[in-house]
Amino acid sequence: MIDPLLTASRLASAGLEAQSLRMRVVSENLANAQSTGDAPGADPYARKTVTFKAELDRAVGAASVRVRDIDTDRTPFRVEHDPSNPAADQNGNVKLPNVNALIEMADMREANRSYEANLQVIKQARAMVASVIDLLRT
């Protein structure tokens, strides 16, 4: 027999791990939002994205979440005219990362809320286990 409280905890734990990685990737994107290339005309930092997949956790017999891939966003880089920048090409244009701070902040907020929800599931499961133990003592 599969324990539903253990199942809830394991699934929430997988969610914590996935959202933690997502927050790390979003933080990296935000930290590199202004990173230009090393040489004139070189490509700057490319935004990273996280893709999830549903996966069967055979130990508990339920679908769980896993990170499928961390990929680079293929949207075009922004281009600004700044001849004084060391990364400027022969026309004075500089390629800037394809990172939009507003999108990254929205992703961070969503990941944070999902992380908190999974953490709350674990706390509730532990409280329920403690209640069961207390009931068995009486």
Side-chain angles (χ1 to χ4, degrees), residues 46-63:
R47 177 180 183 256
K48 293 181 181 175
T49 59
V50 178
T51 307
F52 299 113
K53 69 177 178 178
E55 186 175 271
L56 179 65
D57 185 341
R58 295 184 193 283
V60 294

Side-chain angles (χ1 to χ4, degrees), residues 47-122:
R47 177 180 183 256
K48 293 181 181 175
T49 59
V50 178
T51 307
F52 299 113
K53 69 177 178 178
E55 186 175 271
L56 179 65
D57 185 341
R58 295 184 193 283
V60 294
S64 184
V65 65
R66 296 279 181 244
V67 173
R68 178 189 309 166
D69 194 22
I70 298 176
D71 202 9
T72 55
D73 190 351
R74 300 197 196 304
T75 58
F77 298 117
R78 297 178 323 204
V79 177
E80 286 185 7
H81 186 73
D82 184 5
S84 64
N85 192 311
D89 62 10
Q90 63 273 15
N91 298 324
N93 295 323
V94 179
K95 291 181 186 177
L96 296 174
N98 54 355
V99 175
N100 182 334
L102 289 175
I103 291 173
E104 298 304 320
M105 292 304 293
D107 274 355
M108 179 66 83
R109 188 172 187 166
E110 183 181 334
N112 187 40
R113 286 188 175 175
S114 294
Y115 187 91
E116 288 174 357
N118 283 303
L119 189 58
Q120 193 63 29
V121 167
I122 291 173

Side-chain angles (χ1 to χ4, degrees), residues 35-48:
S35 299
T36 59
D38 295 340
D43 285 344
Y45 173 83
R47 177 180 183 256
K48 293 181 181 175

